[in-house]
Amino acid sequence: MKIFAIYKNYSGYKGTPSTAFLMKDPAVYLKPDSALLKDHKPFFIPDNLGEIRFCAELVVRISRLGKSISQRFAHRYYDAITVGVNLIATDLQKKLREESLPWEEATSFDGSAVLGDWIGREKFRDVQSVHFSLKVNAMTVQESLSSDMLCTIDKLISLISTNFTLKTGDILYTGCPVELMPVHINDQITGFLEDRKVLEFNFK
């Protein structure tokens, strides 16, 4: 199982390159399966990574084996969506950037891909116009629309499958729509797809 993540795929994200650039060549990075945190388990904040920040993302579940998938057929290759939380160790990421080193230590550590409960894509009229949101301690801190993506889900699947074989059970985090928020111990996080609560966990 592979976890794909997309870097800067929303127009509202500060510093996002031009739409034309992203549509041609979106930035993709991978997380190991040990990064996955599900079943509403808490995230235990590491004490060796510096500041950690997060945001909610729309997440897609791959349901078929595929390689070099045409965009017009990409909708056949995923069957469910949910809300996930992508965690990044921003202090470490900055240090690695300055030294021109890979970012995996900052983006792919254990528990850095929190996953909500899957909802079948057939429950939504159009997955490219889904509202998703995030609350911290019952206060709404993020409201986003999948229609604001620069690369649609189908486009992402097509592009990723050019270089990676997609397999059943692979997961795609489609990009962070907002500026990352700081992690605080004992915060309770809840995520929603439309009015469905699909994600709930605590920072410990």
Side-chain angles (χ1 to χ4, degrees):
M1 187 267 287
K2 301 181 290 300
I3 303 171
F4 297 97
I6 305 299
Y7 184 59
K8 294 183 178 178
N9 189 33
Y10 282 81
S11 57
Y13 191 98
K14 184 178 179 181
T16 299
S18 70
T19 301
F21 172 81
L22 279 172
M23 292 298 286
K24 180 181 178 184
D25 188 20
V28 180
Y29 61 98
L30 293 170
K31 291 175 179 269
D33 57 7
S34 58
L36 198 62
L37 183 65
K38 56 184 182 177
D39 301 325
H40 312 291
K41 293 178 181 177
F43 174 77
F44 291 94
I45 303 171
D47 58 7
N48 64 322
L49 292 178
E51 183 177 53
I52 296 176
R53 289 179 167 261
F54 71 102
C55 79
E57 301 190 14
L58 192 70
V59 186
V60 173
R61 183 174 69 191
I62 301 301
S63 58
R64 292 178 62 181
L65 179 71
K67 180 74 165 67
S68 300
I69 301 163
S70 168
Q71 184 176 344
R72 65 183 175 139
F73 298 127
H75 65 279
R76 300 178 180 176
Y77 288 82
Y78 60 101
D79 65 352
I81 63 174
T82 191
V83 173
V85 164
N86 192 0
L87 295 150
I88 296 177
T90 50
D91 286 344
L92 179 57
Q93 185 187 42
K94 180 180 177 182
K95 178 177 180 291
L96 294 170
R97 275 178 175 171
E98 290 171 349
E99 297 175 4
S100 299
L101 294 173
W103 299 357
E104 281 84 358
E105 284 186 273
T107 60
S108 305
F109 50 89
D110 288 356
S112 62
V114 188
L115 189 67
D117 300 324
W118 295 111
I119 303 293
R121 59 168 297 178
E122 73 278 359
K123 301 292 185 182
F124 303 92
R125 198 163 109 181
D126 180 4
V127 295
Q128 213 55 66
S129 61
V130 173
H131 173 265
F132 58 103
S133 60
L134 195 73
K135 291 184 178 181
V136 176
N137 301 325
M139 180 179 295
T140 300
V141 296
Q142 179 182 340
E143 294 194 68
S144 303
L145 290 168
S146 59
S147 57
D148 290 334
M149 290 181 189
L150 298 175
C151 273
T152 64
I153 294 169
D154 289 356
K155 180 70 170 178
L156 291 173
I157 287 174
S158 178
L159 289 169
I160 291 170
S161 71
T162 301
N163 295 318
F164 299 94
T165 297
L166 299 182
K167 295 185 176 182
T168 301
D170 285 350
I171 296 170
L172 169 59
Y173 282 67
T174 58
C176 181
V178 297
E179 287 298 290
L180 298 172
M181 297 165 280
V183 165
H184 297 297
I185 194 166
N186 294 326
D187 277 353
Q188 182 183 52
I189 311 299
T190 50
F192 298 82
L193 272 179
E194 303 291 357
D195 58 353
R196 299 176 175 91
K197 183 167 73 172
V198 295
L199 177 72
E200 185 172 18
F201 73 101
N202 292 330
F203 290 129
K204 294 290 188 181

